[in-house]
Amino acid sequence: MSLSFNYIDYIILGLYAVALFFIGFRFRTKKKNQEDIFLGGRSLKWWQIGFSMFSANAGPMMLIGFAGIGFSHGIVGSNFELLAWIFLMLLSMFFLPYYLKAKISTIPQFLLIRFGKSSYNFLVIYSLISILVVWLGSALYAGGLLISGIFDCSLFMAIVIIAIIATSFTAIGGLKAVVRTGVFQSIIIIVSSILLTFLGLQKIGSIDAW
């Protein structure tokens, strides 16, 4: 895949990268205990967590993949997102109060308390495999396709660059750095998606032209 960029595009991309690194390293975690690294010191605001969850969900895999699904199969590809709110409401109304009361941070911890060690071990192993192979692999591949198309480099090199960038401020800043960069990227995703929708409708004429 090859993309045609001019100097303005590269300037915008460079400013985005500088801002991302600044936010990721500027708000690095000074403490090194487990709660600060993995839970952000329990000081994150609700809107920060919400934006971070949105950016994690609406990453390159979704933006590129769902665009392809929409082009090939139509609006049926949005059913996954349209029905997600039901399960998020169930989580917040019934499960979240129990998690907070039991001071649970992960689903495997819930299974450990509720069903024992065997269920805990199974979900930990399953989650590691599914996250590394399915979620992380596909996200790196989608992002790698975009980066390789922009800079005309190999797909493997693009994936390595993305992995280094993501792990650099994550390892130094912990969850708090991840969340704050997530807020920044959520704003970029929302604004750019609105602009792309507007420009796309202008290109095809109207919604009726679908």
Side-chain angles (χ1 to χ4, degrees):
M1 181 177 66
S2 179
L3 301 175
S4 178
F5 270 41
N6 56 38
Y7 71 95
I8 297 178
D9 297 320
Y10 284 111
I11 290 174
I12 294 174
L13 187 61
L15 291 175
Y16 163 77
V18 170
L20 186 65
F21 275 108
F22 174 78
I23 295 172
F25 290 109
R26 173 66 177 81
F27 300 104
R28 62 184 181 275
T29 301
K30 296 181 179 179
K31 300 178 182 179
K32 296 297 182 181
N33 60 60
Q34 182 176 354
E35 186 171 285
D36 286 307
I37 294 174
F38 294 104
L39 299 178
R42 297 185 183 274
S43 61
L44 298 171
K45 307 298 183 182
W46 65 267
W47 57 270
Q48 292 177 316
I49 298 173
F51 271 120
S52 180
M53 292 178 64
F54 174 81
S55 66
N57 183 50
M61 180 175 59
M62 175 181 173
L63 294 177
I64 298 175
F66 273 80
I69 293 175
F71 179 79
S72 60
H73 295 87
I75 200 172
V76 67
S78 64
N79 285 342
F80 177 80
E81 298 296 332
L82 291 174
L83 297 176
W85 69 271
I86 299 175
F87 303 99
L88 290 175
M89 290 294 293
L90 290 175
L91 172 65
S92 61
M93 293 173 62
F94 299 105
F95 289 94
L96 189 58
Y98 177 80
Y99 293 162
L100 294 174
K101 182 179 179 180
K103 295 182 178 180
I104 293 172
S105 303
T106 64
I107 299 300
Q109 287 179 327
F110 168 73
L111 291 183
L112 178 63
I113 296 174
R114 182 66 178 82
F115 299 106
K117 189 71 173 179
S118 58
S119 299
Y120 170 82
N121 291 334
F122 171 79
L123 187 58
V124 166
I125 296 172
Y126 171 79
S127 299
L128 284 174
I129 295 174
S130 61
I131 289 173
L132 291 176
V133 177
V134 179
W135 183 82
L136 185 59
S138 57
L140 287 174
Y141 177 74
L145 281 177
L146 186 61
I147 296 299
S148 63
I150 293 173
F151 295 103
D152 195 23
C153 61
S154 67
L155 178 60
F156 177 77
M157 180 62 67
I159 291 175
V160 170
I161 292 172
I162 294 174
I164 292 175
I165 292 174
T167 55
S168 59
F169 57 77
T170 302
I172 295 175
L175 181 64
K176 190 172 291 186
V178 174
V179 169
R180 282 172 172 165
T181 54
V183 172
F184 169 70
Q185 294 191 91
S186 292
I187 296 173
I188 297 295
I189 291 172
I190 292 171
V191 173
S192 60
S193 296
I194 292 173
L195 289 175
L196 283 174
T197 302
F198 176 75
L199 293 174
L201 289 175
Q202 273 193 330
K203 191 72 173 179
I204 65 175
S206 66
I207 295 180
D208 295 333
W210 288 4

